[in-house]
Amino acid sequence: MSEGKINKTVYLKDYCPPDYQIKTVHLSFYLGEEHTRVYSKLSITRSLGKKTPLILHGEALKLLSIQLNGQLLTESAYQINSESLTLHQVPDYFILEIETKIYPQKNTTLSGLYVSEGNFCTQCEAEGFRRITYFLDCPDVMATYTTTIIGNKEKYPVLLSNGNLIDQGDKENGEHFAIWQDPFPKPSYLFALVAGKLSSIQDKFITLSRREVNLSIYVQPHNIEKCTYAMASLKRSMAWDEQVYGREYDLDNYMIVAVDDFNMGAMENKGLNIFNSKFVLANPETATDTDYQYIEGVIGHEYFHNWSGNRVTCRDWFQLSLKEGFTVFRDQQFSASQSGSVVKRIEDVNRLRTYQFREDAGPMAHPVRPESYEEINNFYTVTIYEKGAEVVRMLHTLLGETGFRKGTDLYFERHNGQAVTTDDFVKALEDANQVDFSQFRLWYSQAGTPELHVQSSYDADQQTYSLKIKQACPPTPDQPYKKPFHLPLTIGLLDSQGKDIPLQLVGENNRIKGTQTLEIKNQEETFTFENISMSPTPSLLRGFSAPVKLHFELSDKERCFLLAYDNDSFNRWEAGQQLAVKIILSLTKDYQEGNLLKVSSIFIEAIAKFLENYKTDNQSFIAQLLILPSEHYLSEFMEVIDPEALYQARTFLRKTLAHSLKDYFNTIYHQLTSEKPYSFNPQEVARRTLRNICLGYLMMLDETEIHQRCFHQFKTADNMTDSIAALSYLADTKSTERESALSIFYERWKQDSLVMDKWLSIQASAKRDDTFEIVEQLSGHSAFKLTNPNKVRALIGTFCQNNLVNFHHPSGNGYKFLGEYICKLDPLNPQIAARLVSIFSFWKRYDPKRQTLMKDQLEQISRSPNLSKDVQEITLKSLKMN
């Protein structure tokens, strides 16, 4: 550990309401080329009975002056250090005026006020506002803000902040000003400021109550033609939130700004959302279908935060999932309504099981509502977001759509304008529906992924079918013992024809057609169904009704039966996935033992049946079925992860399918070719996806004719989806077409930063033997920029996190490469460096040689001078991993 740096742990149990509240905030920014002066005027009230000193947060600030009730304070009246400003003697109510100097042009952390491509912008969540001025920078301090921005009119013609524009005009010396006022009290993390040379597109939205809202999207002038889809997504989001949740927008303006340098996807600042450019900019030539889907989802997510995050915000950072988990669930609902619920659910579960389940089993495991943290930036995790969304989804399942809406209506009504907790959220759902969710709250306080072990039995004489269910949750670092969870287990029973059997539990009068949701509450319980005339095939955890690992023995024949007939599309897909998991893990073992690799025909025949019916079946579903489980997901089934063996086994299955089903893939590829211009809609997305997956399988055959076909698609494609698919397949080969395609792509798109991210990522993900050397070369390429998070994620993140076979090469070169870049990044941008450190967190899951090599890198990182709190926390917790 770097000398002299000890992280302070913050505990939920120590939470106390703030001793002071700030009621109004007046901010004035004087934007400069070398520094910016910030003047704040705060009206502050001491909480009744409190006599503690006033301690304001502050980082990387140069204090110029302080006035208390109009009196200039001398240095003897306050104390200042690198993290705070303390005033020991203050009255019960007072006006505090503070002037500071900050240096946005040098702020590579991208937290607080910084400059991106010549434009000023902010990122204040979680604790960036303290890098702007001294303040009570915590979410339960809510104030109204009036913001004045002054800057050079030629360099910064656009001046934006939260709320409504109340005045603007010119000043002397070529400067101008704008004054913005936000009438809604908000915490400082929702403050935003943008200034620069920006162009905009404008639109309007008429709310249910017939109010007119002005909509604006601001981007750099050369990107103005790429905003149309984002604006359409925004309007669909606004209409959907009114229809499904009854939530209207509340300001006169809703503004979005896209910037290239951004640590996150986007930020929901009240009325002025700041976005990473990749989640706003799109046209068919530069954006893929996936990009369009992400844009719609992220636009919706940030808009939905206006109520689930802004109007009702979190009391403290332990409650982060109050806004993020709920809002992720809302954006998942929205996206499913636009593009199809089944495929969206598959994508969401895939992400959860690949990354969140892994997090639950690692050194950074934590509950949805953590009990402690050292650096809050490290807790913007898949547990907070995705698992938090699954917890809300379970509440939705248990209450039903009507009951859940009643609960959320009460939640918004009861807590409008307040900073509250996850308990407050659950309490509103309880009160609205007269139910008790005391046990359910364990989902917020217990870490880890529960496991359900299910056994079944059929009694032909009694015509009953029983499910015996045991639940257990493995210990996590801070929680060795777990209480039973309350969870919904949605099931169906299929007869010999694949039809759902009506379900009736013994002792109950109602007979439910098809799917039934069982409420699991005990460590062990049995559910018995009567009037079951034949031994059924069970379909368990339909729709992935709870974020658990299900252990239930099914034969390959039974899984193929579910794959063919299950009425729950998610479970049809899941049956195929589990068949593939079993096959690949068996191949992995054979590879390790030097045995001949072979694949049972049952899986190939099952896939062939779907390909035969591709014209009449759901093409999106078939496409998902053809995507084999990822190496990340497969690795969770291995006690000791063997990246080489996993890669070889998965590749062998892909090649086997390619050889066995070549005629199907050829036919589908040609028949799904279309001469129509690009359009983004569910049907066309499904067509392109299935066609390109078929091309991917054909490329596994490594035949010259197919390489040429792929290169032809690359050259002639009228859209980025088809172009990038072909390029990614070529990038994996040693064909002559590979270098030509990469060169053509670069020359065409070298001026487009976001497209260059794709170019970097494709090469970093290639499974060639020389990929590491290529990545090293690209790290010195002009297309790569260490201070831009998107570039780091595209090249270093893709190689180290997604290219397992090359990153984990026994030489350890990948580990050394990552360790060096973490140390380079940490002084510049600790948040991005910390994300990269987490890749090393699972070092003990590998063989002894790899363990030693990864541990060496963690130890070297821990000894780095002036290590950030972000990186230090993850590094030390990883080293302590049991």
Side-chain angles (χ1 to χ4, degrees), residues 623-812:
Q624 289 297 322
L625 191 64
L626 289 170
I627 301 172
L628 298 180
S630 70
E631 290 164 46
H632 268 299
Y633 179 59
L634 290 161
S635 69
E636 292 307 299
F637 294 90
M638 300 185 73
E639 188 172 337
V640 177
I641 300 172
D642 186 339
E644 170 70 17
L646 265 181
Y647 168 72
Q648 294 294 344
R650 187 175 184 275
T651 301
F652 181 81
L653 179 55
R654 279 177 54 80
K655 286 184 176 179
T656 301
L657 289 171
H659 282 286
S660 302
L661 305 174
K662 178 181 177 180
D663 290 343
Y664 288 110
F665 291 135
N666 262 319
T667 298
I668 295 171
Y669 178 82
H670 288 298
Q671 292 188 355
L672 290 183
T673 302
S674 174
E675 300 299 325
K676 296 179 182 178
Y678 177 90
S679 62
F680 180 77
N681 59 60
Q683 295 73 31
E684 281 296 289
V685 169
R687 180 189 65 79
R688 280 188 292 270
T689 303
L690 181 55
R691 181 173 182 265
N692 283 323
I693 287 174
C694 288
L695 177 61
Y697 273 100
L698 292 170
M699 285 291 285
M700 297 298 297
L701 302 175
D702 200 24
E703 296 175 358
T704 301
E705 183 274 328
I706 298 174
H707 289 170
Q708 292 171 349
R709 183 192 309 175
C710 189
F711 187 55
H712 177 74
Q713 174 174 313
F714 166 77
K715 289 192 300 181
T716 60
D718 71 340
N719 63 84
M720 184 57 74
T721 302
D722 289 338
S723 175
I724 211 76
L727 182 62
S728 66
Y729 299 141
L730 289 169
D732 258 347
T733 71
K734 296 181 180 179
S735 66
T736 56
E737 291 86 358
R738 176 187 185 275
E739 297 305 323
S740 297
L742 286 170
S743 178
I744 292 169
F745 193 88
Y746 175 77
E747 288 301 322
R748 181 176 183 185
W749 299 112
K750 61 185 176 182
Q751 302 303 322
D752 191 308
S753 179
L754 292 179
V755 179
M756 280 293 94
D757 292 345
K758 302 180 194 301
W759 185 74
L760 293 170
S761 182
I762 280 173
Q763 294 176 82
S765 60
K767 301 304 188 291
R768 290 164 50 108
D769 294 339
D770 60 350
T771 295
F772 173 70
E773 289 74 21
I774 292 170
V775 169
E776 275 195 313
Q777 292 170 8
L778 289 172
S779 67
H781 195 284
S782 59
F784 179 76
K785 184 180 178 183
L786 189 61
T787 55
N788 180 277
N790 285 351
K791 305 297 179 191
V792 174
R793 284 185 283 256
L795 183 66
I796 300 172
T798 297
F799 175 74
C800 298
Q801 191 160 24
N802 297 334
N803 196 336
L804 300 188
V805 67
N806 281 315
F807 173 64
H808 290 287
H809 189 275
S811 67

Side-chain angles (χ1 to χ4, degrees), residues 13 118 172-173 180 261 296 336 389 400 425 554 627 649 667 693 859:
K13 63 183 175 60
E172 297 177 352
N173 302 320
W180 293 83
D261 301 293
E296 183 164 66
F425 175 70
L554 285 172
I627 301 172
T667 298
I693 287 174
E859 289 175 341

Side-chain angles (χ1 to χ4, degrees), residues 551-563:
H551 301 278
F552 182 64
E553 288 297 324
L554 285 172
S555 66
D556 290 353
K557 183 178 179 181
E558 287 172 315
R559 292 201 186 279
C560 285
F561 182 80
L562 291 172
L563 177 59

Side-chain angles (χ1 to χ4, degrees), residues 329-494:
F329 172 66
R330 276 153 52 75
D331 82 52
Q332 289 175 350
Q333 284 183 297
F334 169 65
S335 294
S337 73
Q338 304 300 305
S339 61
S341 58
V342 175
V343 172
K344 175 60 178 167
R345 187 63 183 141
I346 289 171
E347 292 169 350
D348 293 339
V349 172
N350 250 335
R351 176 169 169 78
L352 182 86
R353 295 199 300 202
T354 301
Y355 299 107
Q356 196 282 319
F357 281 14
R358 184 177 176 87
E359 186 169 270
D360 262 350
M364 293 297 290
H366 59 276
V368 173
R369 186 193 61 216
E371 297 296 323
S372 66
Y373 64 80
E374 294 176 17
E375 172 50 61
I376 186 56
N377 289 323
N378 289 338
F379 279 81
Y380 283 75
T381 63
V382 282
T383 297
I384 297 294
Y385 282 71
E386 273 73 16
K387 186 173 182 178
E390 293 299 315
V391 171
V392 176
R393 183 180 294 273
M394 286 188 289
L395 289 166
H396 184 277
T397 300
L398 291 168
L399 294 173
E401 189 169 338
T402 301
F404 187 75
R405 171 64 188 272
K406 282 170 58 181
T408 57
D409 282 351
L410 179 60
Y411 170 69
F412 290 127
E413 178 187 345
R414 179 182 285 177
H415 298 297
N416 185 15
Q418 296 178 14
V420 299
T421 68
T422 55
D423 282 334
D424 293 319
F425 175 70
V426 177
K427 185 69 165 62
L429 300 182
E430 286 178 318
D431 291 350
N433 292 278
Q434 299 299 300
V435 295
D436 181 3
F437 283 142
S438 299
Q439 184 183 357
F440 186 88
R441 284 176 169 82
L442 291 171
W443 282 102
Y444 285 103
S445 61
Q446 292 189 158
T449 304
E451 300 188 13
L452 296 187
H453 296 264
V454 182
Q455 293 180 321
S456 65
S457 59
Y458 177 66
D459 187 326
D461 294 333
Q462 297 295 320
Q463 294 200 343
T464 60
Y465 182 79
S466 297
L467 292 172
K468 184 178 181 180
I469 301 166
K470 294 182 179 179
Q471 65 160 300
C473 189
T476 48
D478 297 326
Q479 295 177 330
Y481 172 75
K482 309 295 173 65
K483 296 178 181 178
F485 289 88
H486 175 193
L487 60 93
L489 178 64
T490 302
I491 71 160
L493 302 178
L494 276 64

Side-chain angles (χ1 to χ4, degrees), residues 46 152 156 425 542 742:
R46 186 198 302 272
N152 183 280
Y156 314 113
F425 175 70
R542 282 184 160 179
L742 286 170

Side-chain angles (χ1 to χ4, degrees), residues 119-164:
N119 299 312
F120 285 89
C121 61
T122 54
Q123 170 56 32
C124 293
E125 188 178 356
E127 297 176 340
F129 193 77
R130 64 188 62 185
R131 300 178 66 91
I132 294 173
T133 187
Y134 288 101
F135 202 78
L136 290 173
D137 189 14
C138 39
D140 55 351
V141 175
M142 301 177 70
T144 57
Y145 285 67
T146 302
T147 304
T148 301
I149 312 169
I150 301 166
N152 183 280
K153 188 172 184 178
E154 182 180 353
K155 292 181 177 178
Y156 314 113
V158 173
L159 304 174
L160 307 174
S161 192
N162 310 85
N164 299 315

